[in-house]
Structure formats: C-alpha cells, structure tokens
Amino acid sequence: MYKKVPVIAYILFKYGNFSKPFLNLVLEEKLPEGWHHYFVAQKYKWRGEWNKSLEIIKKSLKKAKDNLTLFYLLQADLLSLSKLLKDNSADKVFDELRKNFFKIPLLARRIIAPTLWDYFISKISYSGVSKVRLWSRDYVEDKTTHLFMLFNKANEENKRGNLSKAIKYYFQSIKIARDIPHPTGLIYSLNNSAWCLRDRHPLFALKLAKGALYYLGYFRENIESGFFVVDTLFHIQRKLKREDIFNMRDMVVTLYEKLPEGKGWGTKEHYKTLKEFFNVRKINLNIDIYENTDEVRNYLKKLFQGKNLSALSEELKITKTNLSNLLRGRTLKIKGNTIKKFMEKYRENIDLFEAPFSIVNEFFKDEVRKEYFGKNRDKFIKFSTGERIIGVVSTYMSLISRNYFKRNNDIGSLVKIMERDFEGFLRIVDEDLYLMEFLNKLFRANPIIEARKCLVLKFINVIP
C-alpha cells in the first residue's frame, strides 16, 4: 500500500473532488504518519476548513524531510493555503519551491507546478517576484496538469489586460476539465471566465456563471466550499438587475453561515456585501402589513412622479383621503394590498435593487403567485400520481434549506395528503405562499437545485 500512496495523491489532484472515494479509502488504511496527516489535511482543505488543514501541514513538514515527494507536496499546500489566508510567510515558501523545483520527483512536480504558477500570477503587480518557467512537454501530456496550466495562463493574461487571450485559455481548460472529468477545474474555469466577461458580455457571463453553479451542485456535497461561484452569479445578476436574484436568498443565507470566520478569500468577511444585500431584503412571505416609513412614502411618490392626487386616487381605486393620509405619513401602517395597487400601475418603474423592503417583498410574493397560478398549478395537476410524488420528493431532497418544512409542514404528511386527497392538497398549497414557491421549484429553480434534482432523479430512476 505504501508504494501506491503517492499515486493516490496524484489521483486526488487528477480528479479533484470527484476522487473523494479514494480519499476516504486511503484514510481507512494504516499509513506512515506523515502521509496520513497529508490526506487528513486534504480532507479539511476540500471542506474549506483551511486553518485546520494549515495547522496539520505545518506540523507534518517538520517530520517529512526524508520523503521528497511528501515534503514538497506539503510545501505546495502550505503555499496555497498561506495565500488564501493572507499569511506573510507565503513568499518565502514560494521562493524555496521555485529554487528547488528541479529536485522534486516528477509525479509531485506535476501536482505542484500549477500551484507555483498560480502564486506567481497573484504577485505579478509586485516587484521582486521571480518569473516561474514551468511549461514543458510533461505538463502538456498530463491532462490535469495541462488543465491547470491553461487555467493559470488565462489568469495571467486576464491580469495583464489581455481579455481575448484569457478567454481562449479558459475555454480550452473548460474543454479538458469536461473530458477528464475534473469538477474543480471545470467549476473554476467557468467561474473565472464569467467574472472576466461580466462587464463586456454580461449575458454570456450569466450563462457561464450558471453553468459553474450547476456543476457545483452536481459534484460537491459541501457547497459552501464553492461560495465564490454564488458570489460571481450574484454580481452578474445584480449588474443585469435580474429579478431571479431573489430566488437565491435561502441558499445564500444558509451557505454563508457555514463559511469560516476571519479575513481573507472564502471567509464571511470576504463575502459580507452579498450577505448585507439579502439582510436588507429578507423576503418574508407571511407579512401583509408594513411600517409606513419615510423611505416607503418617498419611493411611492417617485413611482407616480407627482401625479395629481385626484387622478392617482381614481387610478389606484383608493379614496383621496386615505391616499393623502398614506402619503403624508398620517397612516402608520401600509397594507400589502395597497402596495400591490401601486405595483400594478407602475411596475415598469420599480427598481428592486433600490426599492424599500416592503415593495421588494410584495413584488416577490406577487411573482410567486403569478408563476404558480399562471402556469405551474395546471402543469402539476396534469401529472400522474407517481410523477407528483417523484417531483415533490426530488425537489425537497434538492433544497439547500428545509427549515420551513421542519417548522410547519412535514413533507411525508404532505405527500400522503397528496396521494389520499389531491384536491385537499391543492387547497392547502393555494393558501400557502411558501408551498407555492416550493411547487414552482419543481419546474424552475436555481442551478444548484436543478443539479441536485438531476442526481436525485438518477437515483430514483434505478429503484424498482
């Protein structure tokens, strides 16, 4: 087993998260202490628990100098994790690896080369960083190393402002990652190409980002480790002012809480802008009455742009007195139905990225109703009993957060009602916006849910 251990390390590199069964298998074996710690560190690294991984690697390095392959693999991990955690010692580790690169055994060199180049690219704008020369036939012949070398070359061209060259290399790396397949390489290449194109070609970037998010849901269990993909899609949706950004709210809040504390890439601090966006816009489908604040009144006035009060009263079917009291702040509360009347007449003027919470919330509630009653309810009715059960169960299993079902509705009970009394089931859903939104996800959901649903259906379809 010991002679095969470096090969297992290469398999983890070659297939990324796709090789998790090999990682689990090797950790069940009796290994030399150094290699055991190396694989444990990989497990923590894949989970996004970088501080734990780094702690193990630092301890293991002191005992690994007699095994060159293990020693340099640990050094490469030390470099990548130190970079992520913004540890100042990373420059020193980089210099040591670069100077000793010719000493590294070939198998380890193929794994380490992309890490070295990636670090060099991150330091391009700084003086005193030595050039890394790594391109050779060995790396081209090895698909995974070639994939990451292309990926790093794309990152370098992008950093130098050569967008067309960067996209060319990203797309080459995407093709290789699909052929291997290498989930990590595929997710990173799609994500970075989307980020590069977000300003010049935002619609194409949106398609790439959704692809990255789909593969994240398809290949990863610990989805929070790919939170950077969620962040990329968020920024593109925000730039395009896409209303479907609010369908990400539960996923963002749930995954954000699993991120590590501290500072640096991948931490809560790094993504606080995204969290703050949804904190201000916490969709609550149960609310029907809101505070009539200055912000709300000013926004409503902006919608109808100073139209005559009498004309506005007639247009909205609200008495002039009630409307005057509302707009002057004499009425302390505002009903959701009142906000809906404004939305029906001035929908095209509403900017959900600037609107107060009450308007965003009512807008989203209205969208849920329209999608459900407008098309999805009829589609669901046409399903056979078996199709309904499979649709509900697969969608439920694909959710990132199931808090609503834990709190109010047991999914098993709902399925039994659906089987026993379908009309009764529909009456329950017709009165519950959360269940309407859930059934809407049977037909259209964010890419992560769609990917997870695909996996669930593959499993269900092989059951007799």
Side-chain angles (χ1 to χ4, degrees):
M1 179 66 190
Y2 176 69
K3 292 180 180 179
K4 295 179 182 178
V5 168
V7 178
I8 300 294
Y10 175 72
I11 288 172
L12 301 189
F13 164 71
K14 185 174 181 179
Y15 296 107
N17 278 55
F18 212 40
S19 58
K20 188 176 179 181
F22 286 92
L23 179 59
N24 293 335
L25 180 65
V26 78
L27 285 172
E28 291 176 2
E29 299 291 332
K30 288 185 178 180
L31 300 174
E33 185 181 17
W35 278 110
H36 177 77
H37 288 159
Y38 170 78
F39 288 118
V40 171
Q42 302 312 301
K43 193 168 188 176
Y44 282 124
K45 187 168 73 171
W46 282 4
R47 287 179 184 170
E49 297 180 46
W50 298 321
N51 281 305
K52 285 185 180 179
S53 183
L54 187 61
E55 185 182 342
I56 293 170
I57 286 164
K58 284 181 176 178
K59 287 180 180 178
S60 302
L61 267 168
K62 297 173 184 177
K63 304 176 183 179
K65 291 188 177 179
D66 293 336
N67 186 321
L68 287 181
T69 296
L70 175 60
F71 178 75
Y72 286 116
L73 285 176
L74 287 167
Q75 271 209 321
D77 275 342
L78 177 63
L79 175 62
S80 62
L81 289 167
S82 297
K83 175 196 164 191
L84 286 170
L85 296 168
K86 297 188 176 180
D87 188 325
N88 294 330
S89 65
D91 286 347
K92 184 180 177 182
V93 180
F94 170 75
D95 284 335
E96 286 182 15
L97 276 170
R98 185 183 59 79
K99 289 174 184 175
N100 295 318
F101 194 69
F102 69 97
K103 299 179 183 177
I104 301 173
L106 179 60
L107 189 69
R109 204 183 305 165
R110 287 175 173 173
I111 299 172
I112 292 166
T115 302
L116 274 179
W117 198 354
D118 173 66
Y119 190 79
F120 165 73
I121 293 164
S122 71
K123 294 287 183 176
I124 280 179
S125 56
Y126 297 89
S127 59
V129 179
S130 301
K131 174 70 177 175
V132 181
R133 303 185 183 280
L134 301 173
W135 202 264
S136 76
R137 183 179 296 177
D138 285 336
Y139 308 137
V140 175
E141 289 176 352
D142 185 281
K143 281 190 175 183
T144 302
T145 309
H146 190 202
L147 152 66
F148 282 108
M149 298 301 265
L150 286 167
F151 175 74
N152 286 328
K153 197 167 180 65
N155 289 340
E156 182 177 355
E157 294 295 347
N158 180 47
K159 198 154 188 178
R160 295 185 189 281
N162 303 322
L163 181 61
S164 59
K165 285 186 178 180
I167 294 303
K168 171 188 169 186
Y169 290 127
Y170 279 134
F171 284 6
Q172 286 178 2
S173 65
I174 289 168
K175 184 179 184 304
I176 294 173
R178 279 183 176 145
D179 290 343
I180 292 175
H182 196 292
T184 302
L186 184 55
I187 291 166
Y188 272 81
S189 298
L190 283 165
N191 177 77
N192 282 31
S193 56
W195 187 256
C196 282
L197 291 168
R198 72 190 188 283
D199 292 324
R200 292 197 195 179
H201 304 284
L203 287 173
F204 188 39
L206 180 69
K207 184 178 179 181
L208 293 169
K210 285 186 173 181
L213 200 66
Y214 181 89
Y215 288 116
L216 176 65
Y218 194 88
F219 288 114
R220 295 275 181 93
E221 291 177 56
N222 56 327
I223 296 173
E224 66 277 6
S225 66
F227 198 80
F228 59 91
V229 181
V230 179
D231 184 62
T232 296
L233 180 59
F234 164 77
H235 282 287
I236 295 170
Q237 286 177 319
R238 191 173 185 178
K239 182 179 182 63
L240 292 168
K241 294 190 179 261
R242 299 273 299 202
E243 295 170 7
D244 57 350
I245 195 171
F246 297 99
N247 293 324
M248 295 172 60
R249 70 188 193 282
D250 289 340
M251 177 178 70
V252 168
V253 171
T254 302
L255 296 180
Y256 182 86
E257 293 306 318
K258 296 181 180 181
L259 296 177
E261 301 288 346
K263 296 183 178 180
W265 189 85
T267 63
K268 287 182 178 178
E269 175 68 20
H270 187 77
Y271 297 112
K272 67 178 181 180
T273 301
L274 196 161
K275 179 63 164 35
E276 286 168 357
F277 176 88
F278 287 104
N279 273 347
V280 177
R281 301 164 180 84
K282 283 183 179 177
I283 302 298
N284 187 333
L285 303 181
N286 288 326
I287 296 179
D288 288 312
I289 298 177
Y290 307 88
E291 296 292 329
N292 185 21
T293 63
D294 287 341
E295 182 189 21
V296 173
R297 291 195 300 277
N298 290 335
Y299 194 85
L300 292 177
K301 290 174 186 176
K302 185 179 175 182
L303 288 180
F304 58 80
Q305 297 178 338
K307 183 174 284 190
N308 178 278
L309 192 64
S310 298
L312 186 65
S313 170
E314 186 175 340
E315 191 176 60
L316 298 176
K317 308 301 181 196
I318 301 173
T319 67
K320 188 175 177 180
T321 302
N322 288 344
L323 188 58
S324 176
N325 289 337
L326 174 70
L327 296 175
R328 291 186 179 187
R330 292 172 183 167
T331 304
L332 299 179
K333 303 286 184 180
I334 181 170
K335 293 180 180 179
N337 284 336
T338 303
I339 292 174
K340 280 178 63 179
K341 289 179 180 180
F342 278 94
M343 288 197 307
E344 286 168 3
K345 293 295 180 182
Y346 299 101
R347 194 180 192 86
E348 68 278 3
N349 296 339
I350 293 174
D351 182 347
L352 295 178
F353 294 82
E354 301 295 334
F357 163 73
S358 55
I359 293 173
V360 173
N361 202 57
E362 284 302 314
F363 189 99
F364 189 78
K365 286 166 63 178
D366 197 44
E367 288 297 298
V368 171
R369 287 190 192 96
K370 283 183 176 178
E371 193 171 355
Y372 174 71
F373 286 110
K375 53 185 178 180
N376 292 339
R377 188 178 189 275
D378 288 340
K379 287 181 184 178
F380 191 66
I381 289 171
K382 291 176 183 177
F383 280 1
S384 68
T385 301
E387 288 172 330
R388 291 170 193 155
I389 293 171
I390 289 174
V392 168
V393 171
S394 62
T395 302
Y396 172 78
M397 292 176 70
S398 305
L399 296 177
I400 304 296
S401 171
R402 304 185 184 119
N403 290 336
Y404 175 75
F405 293 96
K406 291 176 183 177
R407 189 171 63 245
N408 294 320
N409 290 289
D410 173 68
I411 192 69
S413 299
L414 285 170
V415 170
K416 287 176 182 176
I417 294 170
M418 187 172 64
E419 285 184 283
R420 186 175 63 248
D421 178 11
F422 185 60
E423 292 300 322
F425 173 80
L426 286 177
R427 285 194 294 275
I428 293 171
V429 178
D430 291 351
E431 297 296 323
D432 189 320
L433 277 164
Y434 282 101
L435 290 179
M436 288 184 214
E437 186 188 15
F438 171 73
L439 283 190
N440 286 341
K441 287 184 172 71
L442 267 71
F443 304 96
R444 185 175 65 88
N446 69 58
I448 281 186
I449 290 179
E450 292 295 346
R452 287 157 67 95
K453 196 188 300 183
C454 179
L455 291 173
V456 173
L457 289 173
K458 283 185 177 181
F459 171 75
I460 288 175
N461 287 336
V462 299
I463 295 176

